[in-house]
Amino acid sequence: MTDAVTADRIDPSPAGKGSITGTFDAVVVGAGFAGMYMLYRLRALGLSVRVFEAGAGVGGTWFWNRYPGARCDVESMQYSYSFSRELEQEWNWSELYAAQPEILAYANHVADRFDLRRDIQFETRVTAAHYGETEQGWIVGTDRDDLVYARFCIMASGQLSSLHPPEIPGFDQFQGDWHHTGAWPHDPVDLKGRSVGIIGTGSSGTQAVPVVAKEAGRLYVFQRTPNYVLPSPNKAMTPEYAGVWKAHADVLRRKAHETRTGILYNFGTKSALDVSDDERTAEFSNRWKTGSSILAAYTDFFTNIDANGKAAEFVRDQIRTIVKDPATAARLTPTDYPIGAKRICIDSHYYQAFNRENVELVDIKAEPIERFDARGLQTTRRAIALDVIILATGFDAVTGALARIDIRGREGQPLASKWQDGPTAFLGLMISGFPNLFTVNGPGSPAALSNVLMSIEHHVDWIAGCVQTVRARNCSTVEPSQAAEYDWTNTVAEAGRTSLFQKAASWFNGANVAGKPKQFLVYVGGIKAYREKCSAVVANGYRDFIFE
Ligand code: NA7
């Protein structure tokens, strides 16, 4: 088979020409939680696998996002693999919501425990993946001049891995230090006593602010859109709590699958509009104090704008109570979109940080940043001198990591041209015209609005099942029909259009990156409906797919 592979066909890829350097049944791009589990599953099917990983270690998001304060906003016991009972029983989390170093340690433990590293090539970025019609497989090039052939290619390249720098001129002139939260250095960054600017107030920015504020001499927080930031319920893990989870993990995870996000909270059962103002305020206050999710308190925050408004107003009241300076509180208060329509941020004393003498909020809607310069930046009102700039400006989400690889399908069609008006894919898992190419958490998957680790396991299991079916049917390729892809893309768009999520500009709908097609990248209909659909397409004998 591979004798027929001509490296010429990869031209003009950044990988250049050369002879095939390796042949595998499958190539996996990325060794985060998705890539690691994909490797484990494909190995178990008896496939030879090569994983390419740009980083020097496993962990994906948790390898790169080492910024101060980085922490998971899903409970540790839930944000853990479920595929190995032994792994589940032996690993002990120290906190209810783990911080980045502990999650990275967990990823490394998994890699060691299942001997994954021997099939992972680190510090190697995949630059090109071209489908070969003759070979009925993928020719994959890297920035280390690998050129490998594989029947299957699985993109486990992350939804939030392609950095999105701000579109502000003059950045190359800045003479100080700068770091993006999503590519934070491994060595400590010296912030002590220095003038620091954090641009962006999403999950990363709001987590970093309270920690950086304690170290920096002066901290400027540049905010474009205020977020709803809820208190973290984090505390030390108790053996009792972990013990209950470990004893009943199967039941608890099955229960989680039945929810909208795949995360178990203390769910209320009534409409927010069916209780008195006093009862609702008491419920919200109790949850605010204990860190129990306010958005789980009642059933209709995502379906009824009036119900949503009750929760939003409660949070606005908390901001006004916590932040002592009324003008700062007003600037921190979101007013023009529903709570939850952008990803909720979970803080550790974010609002309290603005009561510190050394912290200043700069509202860049009122006072836009005009340009960076050698000493810091210039807003429309003043020059601000900065020693360190922290870009917490997020990611070119969901499609960004795929867009930076030269992916070509049947007849050499570039994925970039197929997706020029916005991505189309079936279930976020496969793309018509791109046989045997799978995406974990691709466009149209609900993963971003779920316990991502649970969604990863689900997607990887589905992909492994599909690969197994190709082999069991003695076929070479599988791809979704155009009709199925079209229908699912419409389902995703319709779910978004009719939801509260369309009332905010966010990375869920492509609005955070200038020039990106405005389209829902995430299926907002919930993981229960999604999982049912994924099971149905298998149960009906893969009717929506073409096997060759
Ligand atoms: P997010 O949530 O995309 O947040 C990025 C933040 O950066 C957000 O406040 C943006 O404001 C702001 N931003 C983006 N571009 C600019 C420019 N040009 N100028 C000023 N401010 C800007 O990314 P995170 O890293 O915080 O979190 C990503 C996900 O990781 C999160 O959702 C969790 O799933 C974990 P905007 O709101 O767009 O006005």
Side-chain angles (χ1 to χ4, degrees):
M1 167 61 65
T2 50
D3 289 342
V5 174
T6 56
D8 283 355
R9 67 171 60 250
I10 204 94
D11 184 47
S13 87
K17 298 183 196 177
S19 43
I20 292 294
T21 54
T23 300
F24 304 92
D25 293 320
V27 157
V28 175
V29 182
F33 281 115
M36 286 201 293
Y37 182 45
M38 194 76 248
L39 168 59
Y40 174 86
R41 288 289 272 124
L42 292 176
R43 250 194 210 167
L45 294 179
L47 271 67
S48 61
V49 186
R50 168 57 48 95
V51 181
F52 291 113
E53 165 56 55
V58 297
T61 284
W62 302 105
F63 176 87
W64 297 104
N65 286 265
R66 299 165 184 246
Y67 61 85
R71 184 180 291 283
C72 190
D73 56 7
V74 176
E75 264 193 33
S76 312
M77 296 309 297
Q78 302 192 51
Y79 194 86
S80 309
Y81 282 124
S82 68
F83 71 84
S84 160
R85 183 91 182 129
E86 295 74 29
L87 171 66
E88 195 170 63
Q89 295 300 312
E90 77 199 8
W91 182 263
N92 294 313
W93 294 105
S94 69
E95 291 182 279
L96 214 50
Y97 288 74
Q100 176 270 334
E102 191 169 19
I103 303 174
L104 188 58
Y106 174 70
N108 277 292
H109 171 73
V110 172
D112 293 337
R113 193 187 193 291
F114 298 102
D115 189 20
L116 299 179
R117 286 178 217 280
R118 69 183 150 90
D119 289 324
I120 305 175
Q121 186 173 321
F122 291 104
E123 296 182 274
T124 307
R125 185 174 287 282
V126 167
T127 52
H130 293 186
Y131 180 70
E133 301 277 358
T134 323
E135 302 83 6
Q136 294 186 299
W138 288 85
I139 301 152
V140 177
T142 76
D143 62 357
R144 303 277 290 256
D145 289 338
D146 304 281
L147 199 60
V148 305
Y149 169 80
R151 172 78 74 201
F152 301 99
C153 180
I154 298 104
M155 296 292 174
S157 39
Q159 298 184 103
L160 297 164
S161 54
S162 176
L163 307 184
H164 170 51
E167 314 83 3
I168 302 169
F171 197 66
D172 51 347
Q173 288 165 27
F174 179 59
Q175 299 287 306
D177 300 333
W178 69 270
H179 306 285
H180 192 290
T181 48
W184 198 259
H186 291 206
D187 297 327
V189 175
D190 181 18
L191 302 171
K192 211 165 179 53
R194 303 177 83 192
S195 176
V196 180
I198 296 184
I199 303 178
T201 53
S203 297
S204 306
T206 56
Q207 286 188 336
V209 162
V211 184
V212 173
K214 287 188 193 145
E215 255 193 89
R218 180 128 197 97
L219 172 61
Y220 297 90
V221 180
F222 297 92
Q223 170 194 275
R224 189 163 67 179
T225 312
N227 254 302
Y228 296 92
V229 186
L230 307 185
S232 166
N234 187 39
K235 53 187 174 191
M237 181 69 74
T238 62
E240 292 74 27
Y241 191 81
V244 168
W245 255 95
K246 288 184 181 187
H248 304 287
D250 288 351
V251 177
L252 291 167
R253 287 186 196 272
R254 267 201 304 278
K255 263 175 96 173
H257 295 166
E258 295 296 309
T259 67
R260 193 178 59 82
T261 61
I263 305 170
L264 287 180
Y265 294 111
N266 178 14
F267 290 111
T269 53
K270 294 182 201 158
S271 159
L273 304 177
D274 282 350
V275 296
S276 69
D277 287 351
D278 286 350
E279 182 181 339
R280 199 172 42 241
T281 305
E283 177 68 25
F284 284 154
S285 301
N286 184 38
R287 285 179 180 252
W288 185 270
K289 264 188 229 121
T290 58
S292 175
S293 174
I294 282 175
L295 291 187
Y298 297 100
T299 54
D300 46 358
F301 292 134
F302 288 92
T303 51
N304 185 320
I305 190 75
D306 296 330
N308 185 290
K310 302 289 181 196
E313 197 44 41
F314 176 82
V315 176
R316 292 182 195 122
D317 277 344
Q318 301 311 303
I319 300 169
R320 290 188 275 263
T321 306
I322 296 168
V323 180
K324 293 193 181 124
D325 173 40
T328 302
R331 290 199 293 270
L332 283 167
T333 303
T335 52
D336 59 358
Y337 65 94
I339 185 168
K342 277 162 110 66
R343 171 105 182 199
I344 281 288
C345 301
I346 305 292
D347 83 317
S348 299
H349 310 296
Y350 173 67
Y351 294 122
Q352 288 84 344
F354 292 93
N355 293 333
R356 295 174 65 100
E357 288 288 314
N358 67 331
V359 178
E360 181 180 341
L361 182 72
V362 183
D363 175 355
I364 59 171
K365 276 208 173 124
E367 184 185 351
I369 302 172
E370 285 188 324
R371 61 175 188 281
F372 294 101
D373 58 28
R375 297 192 56 238
L377 56 76
Q378 181 78 45
T379 74
T380 48
R381 291 188 194 155
R382 55 185 158 151
I384 297 179
L386 298 168
D387 303 313
V388 185
I389 294 177
I390 297 176
L391 300 176
T393 46
F395 302 87
D396 181 356
V398 185
T399 52
L402 300 171
R404 63 186 177 185
I405 302 173
D406 173 20
I407 300 174
R408 301 190 194 185
R410 283 197 192 281
E411 296 168 12
Q413 184 189 22
L415 186 61
S417 74
K418 177 172 165 116
W419 283 3
Q420 64 186 345
D421 297 325
T424 55
F426 189 41
L427 298 170
L429 292 166
M430 293 202 83
I431 304 157
S432 80
F434 294 74
N436 292 359
L437 180 77
F438 296 90
T439 52
V440 185
N441 301 344
S445 143
L449 279 164
S450 75
N451 173 357
V452 180
L453 195 36
M454 172 200 278
S455 286
I456 281 172
E457 280 193 312
H458 169 265
H459 293 13
V460 167
D461 286 340
W462 190 96
I463 293 167
C466 189
V467 166
Q468 200 173 9
T469 305
V470 173
R471 291 159 68 92
R473 292 184 182 186
N474 273 326
C475 289
S476 301
T477 65
V478 61
E479 66 179 292
S481 71
Q482 279 185 4
E485 178 175 285
Y486 178 82
D487 284 350
W488 183 251
T489 303
N490 282 340
T491 301
V492 173
E494 182 64 8
R497 200 182 56 72
T498 54
S499 75
L500 295 185
F501 291 97
Q502 59 108 12
K503 293 186 183 292
S506 73
W507 58 264
F508 297 148
N509 50 35
N512 68 324
V513 174
K516 193 164 174 167
K518 302 294 166 280
Q519 177 184 326
F520 271 87
L521 301 166
V522 178
Y523 173 60
V524 302
I527 64 149
K528 184 169 186 288
Y530 174 80
R531 290 173 75 101
E532 283 167 4
K533 174 74 180 171
C534 289
S535 299
V537 299
V538 174
N540 73 18
Y542 290 93
R543 270 205 313 262
D544 295 311
F545 295 82
I546 303 154
F547 287 81
E548 269 183 14

